[in-house]
Amino acid sequence: MNHTIYHTANGKLIQNDTDNCFYLQFKGAEYRMAVCALIAFKNRLDQLNIEEMLLSDASLNAIEIIPLCNREHLLVLTLDEIIEMKDLVPGTLVMLELNSIVQQRIVRAVV
Amino acid sequence: MKDLMRQKVAIQDNVLSMLNKQVKLEAQSSAAYLAMAAWCDQHGYDHSATFFYEQSNEERTHMLKLFHYISDMGGQPTVATVEAPQSDFSSLREVFELALESEINVTESINQIVAACRKSNDFATENFMQWFVKEQVEEEFVARRALEFFDMLNDDPASLLIIDERILKIKYSEE
């Protein structure tokens, strides 16, 4: 079963309960990610300094190549796309944390 | 909906990122102590050099302890880039002052992690971090006691040799 966790204008992150993994849909492409791959992807995004990239002389053509954890895909992102990803992925993690809180309060601790 | 994230990862994202920052801090400390050891070696402070080599090893052990914990909890430990540490010092006293400063910095960082663990009810990580809290008491004590030697004795060459000889004998005991 698929659950849309978070979406932005061009992207969507979906959790699939059957596969136990996430699907990142971005601009028509779809990338399968295990939990560890999603965390690794977020770590890579966290390391990108938008402010630095914007102030850099080469900012107009700035692209970043981010290999996904399993090396099946390489994401080539422009500055705009990085900004959108920096909304999509952390947004997803906030929603997942909310889901954890709901599970903890309703499903697990039935006392 | 399954709680997939919780099934695979035992620690919250913010704590995970703080632990990874601590990995970097420990790696940085290890490099800084190595530079201090080299300086002491070059200036004939043999015991202090041994002391800082041991400290450098210890910091690396701390880094690995954190690294394994992050990995065991389902997180992704990151191998941090370590900046070149200060390698030239004006005196042995300055070396120990910087060592104490570094230990205080590490202690404060550890305290912040413990505070974050309490805020998010992460008692397992808090328990794990308590080992570091205790370790820092010892680390700060040793650096502080070494600096007390400089206050007690003058900075003349004879005194410096006496201080150097006493460095390895500093031990922290709770009793």
Side-chain angles (χ1 to χ4, degrees):
Chain A
M1 185 161 182
N2 283 335
H3 307 273
T4 302
I5 310 293
Y6 195 78
H7 66 88
T8 54
N10 301 299
K12 196 188 261 189
L13 245 152
I14 296 161
Q15 177 180 312
N16 185 302
D17 281 356
T18 321
D19 289 3
N20 282 346
C21 69
F22 295 96
Y23 287 90
L24 165 70
Q25 292 177 353
F26 195 70
K27 293 195 167 172
E30 187 174 76
Y31 310 91
R32 187 178 186 273
M33 286 180 179
V35 174
C36 66
L38 179 68
I39 294 171
F41 184 51
K42 185 195 174 264
N43 283 342
R44 287 299 304 267
L45 284 173
D46 285 347
Q47 283 160 18
L48 300 179
N49 189 335
I50 290 289
E51 205 175 306
E52 225 169 63
M53 290 173 85
L54 281 168
L55 293 172
S56 144
D57 290 340
S59 67
L60 285 174
N61 303 313
I63 53 158
E64 277 293 329
I65 300 169
I66 307 179
L68 293 186
C69 193
N70 52 17
R71 306 271 164 185
E72 276 175 20
H73 299 283
L74 282 171
L75 278 169
V76 182
L77 301 173
T78 63
L79 199 53
D80 286 350
E81 289 167 343
I82 292 168
I83 293 169
E84 189 171 349
M85 278 296 180
K86 273 181 171 279
D87 174 21
L88 181 62
V89 177
T92 302
L93 286 171
V94 170
M95 288 303 129
L96 288 172
E97 202 180 314
L98 247 165
N99 180 51
S100 269
I101 295 169
V102 171
Q103 294 266 339
Q104 189 192 348
R105 296 289 155 87
I106 299 173
V107 183
R108 291 203 191 96
V110 189
V111 278
Chain B
M1 170 181 149
K2 271 185 186 173
D3 192 350
L4 198 54
M5 191 55 87
R6 181 64 184 88
Q7 280 179 18
K8 303 282 181 189
V9 188
I11 327 174
Q12 276 189 13
D13 189 48
N14 67 324
V15 177
L16 211 54
S17 111
M18 287 177 99
L19 289 176
N20 264 324
K21 279 185 188 151
Q22 191 63 31
V23 167
K24 180 173 175 148
L25 194 56
E26 301 285 352
Q28 192 68 57
S29 298
S30 178
Y33 282 137
L34 206 54
M36 289 173 185
W39 186 89
C40 291
D41 245 349
Q42 282 163 0
H43 290 79
Y45 301 120
D46 294 346
H47 300 279
S48 299
T50 307
F51 170 78
F52 284 117
Y53 279 125
E54 279 171 12
Q55 285 297 110
S56 176
N57 267 341
E58 232 176 78
E59 300 303 320
R60 188 179 143 74
T61 313
H62 295 173
M63 181 195 75
L64 282 175
K65 202 176 166 78
L66 285 156
F67 207 85
H68 287 304
Y69 181 76
I70 296 169
S71 190
D72 290 346
M73 294 300 111
Q76 196 205 25
T78 46
V79 182
T81 322
V82 177
E83 288 133 41
Q86 181 178 340
S87 56
D88 206 11
F89 309 92
S90 60
S91 64
L92 188 61
R93 188 190 187 113
E94 192 201 351
V95 174
F96 278 96
E97 275 174 354
L98 284 169
L100 176 61
E101 195 56 47
S102 160
E103 289 305 337
I104 290 171
N105 190 22
V106 171
T107 304
E108 281 174 4
S109 174
I110 285 167
N111 288 346
Q112 281 173 15
I113 298 175
V114 174
C117 291
R118 290 198 177 166
K119 209 172 162 191
S120 54
N121 285 351
D122 186 348
F123 302 117
T125 308
E126 187 191 333
N127 191 37
F128 168 76
M129 290 308 294
Q130 286 302 336
W131 183 89
F132 287 88
V133 171
K134 211 171 167 192
E135 185 73 6
Q136 280 312 114
V137 172
E138 186 186 329
E139 305 262 333
E140 275 197 34
F141 171 85
V142 174
R144 207 168 275 125
R145 176 50 56 95
L147 280 173
E148 280 168 9
F149 292 158
F150 289 93
D151 291 337
M152 281 190 286
L153 299 155
N154 295 321
D155 280 8
D156 60 82
S159 302
L160 284 173
L161 281 179
I162 296 170
I163 293 170
D164 184 48
E165 274 170 17
R166 293 192 65 169
I167 293 298
L168 287 174
K169 293 184 185 127
I170 306 172
K171 293 280 177 277
Y172 175 73
S173 159
E174 285 177 19
E175 285 143 27

